[in-house]
Amino acid sequence: MTHTDDAVAPEQEHFDALIADDSRIEPRDWMPEAYRKTLTRQISQHAHSEIIGMQPEANWITRAPSLKRKSILMAKVQDEAGHGLYLYSSAETLGTPRPVLNDQLLTGRAKYSSIFNYPARTWADMGAIGWLVDGAAICNQVPLCRASYGPYGRAMVRICKEESFHQRQGWEILYELSHGTDAQKKMAQDAVDRFYGPALQMFGPPDADSPNSQQSMAWNIKRFSNDELRQRFVDMIVPQAEALGLTLPDPDLVWNEERQHYDYGELDWDEFMSVIKGRGPCSVQRMKRRREAHENGAWVREAAAAYAERQAARAAEAANHEDHETETAPSSQRPAAQLIGA
Ligand code: BYC
């Protein structure tokens, strides 16, 4: 179909109307290629983040200080795997198969969240990750439940419910430590000092340096800008830090009466750029582990594929057999649908 330069194609018009109406786009709907591309990029990078994000915490499963802590942490890490799976499934509905998305991660062409390139050094880091990292994730992801692409928005609803539990468990770890011995309180403060800045950077570059935000907001994928969500997060964690009896490592953090928000200091954006280019403290290790895990899982994929093939062959054989039976059966015994030619 061709259109004159200034005429809007009917399918584009329909898409624009759905967006203007704040309705949902579903996989069967026509969508501009750029919309498909930016969603595939964002959803798959989100999925990669969940999968890589399992590593810093998995590192502490064997060293959790009690059986109860160990089971809670294991459940949380399993949740992250589940989030990765919902998100890969959602990304696949846009037309890119999962092995291709996975390959983009393994070959370093796709990004994952900067935060997971930092080491988890102490048990208190499990608290800081839960409270700050999952807390930032919730702030960022609750508005994504209303993303215009149906399968993404629906996946985010369940993810956000689980993230709330994750944040609570992080808070509780830090609360126990900050109300424990001097050494425990020091360990909690040290974890918060290290994760505060990187957690604020999870929201992405400042708005002026965010090439994707404007279009993603026009398409109702993102509902708020990176800086708006970062501000919302800062406003949320300041009173929480006070309740924990811990401080946030920013001398410029101060309530601004006029703005009715907390002002906060400039973040280290050079460090952020370096981390997202693969030069974070743990970037090499994270990717190495991911590739090893992928290789070690080859037998599972092969076994699953062989099983699916066998099931399909059995189903085809059974269908053949059924056809044969119905063809040779007297008309009174044939299924009604066949008799009426359906
Ligand atoms: N890290 O134009 P911008 C979790 C990239 S999982 C790395 O603002 P956009 C959890 C960005 O991709 C947390 N890269 O981009 C899991 C873009 O590069 P490309 C993950 C970043 O997409 C386990 C470029 O910088 N959450 O919570 O409009 C355990 C320019 O940025 C980062 C999600 O993925 C970053 N922090 O906005 C515990 C949420 N920030 O792609 C917890 C969904 C930016 O053009 N994603 N970049 O090469 C989003 O909401 C948005 O994609 C972002 C970035 C706000 C992250």
Side-chain angles (χ1 to χ4, degrees), residues 134-157:
D134 290 279
I138 294 170
C139 259
N140 169 259
Q141 292 170 20
V142 165
L144 292 174
C145 296
R146 293 191 291 119
S148 56
Y149 188 57
Y152 190 30
R154 288 189 287 273
M156 291 314 305
V157 171

Side-chain angles (χ1 to χ4, degrees), residues 41-42 45-46 49-50 53 57 76 80 111-114 116 133-134 137 140-141 144 152 163 201-205 210-213 222 226 272 276:
R41 174 187 66 79
Q42 176 167 327
Q45 294 190 160
H46 191 169
S49 306
E50 299 282 355
E57 293 172 307
K76 178 179 191 276
E80 314 295 1
K111 293 186 174 75
Y112 59 88
S113 183
S114 48
F116 301 117
V133 175
D134 290 279
N140 169 259
Q141 292 170 20
L144 292 174
Y152 190 30
E163 294 291 12
Q201 291 177 334
M202 286 174 69
F203 295 93
S210 164
N212 300 300
S213 277
K222 287 168 82 158
N226 298 355
F272 173 77
I276 68 170

Side-chain angles (χ1 to χ4, degrees), residues 1-4 7:
M1 206 191 324
T2 54
H3 303 281
T4 55

Side-chain angles (χ1 to χ4, degrees), residues 67 89 99-100 102 106 128 137 168 173 230 259 297-298 315 332:
L67 180 61
S89 300
V100 174
N102 198 42
L106 297 181
R168 281 302 296 224
I173 290 174
R230 196 173 0 255
R259 290 199 314 120
S332 60

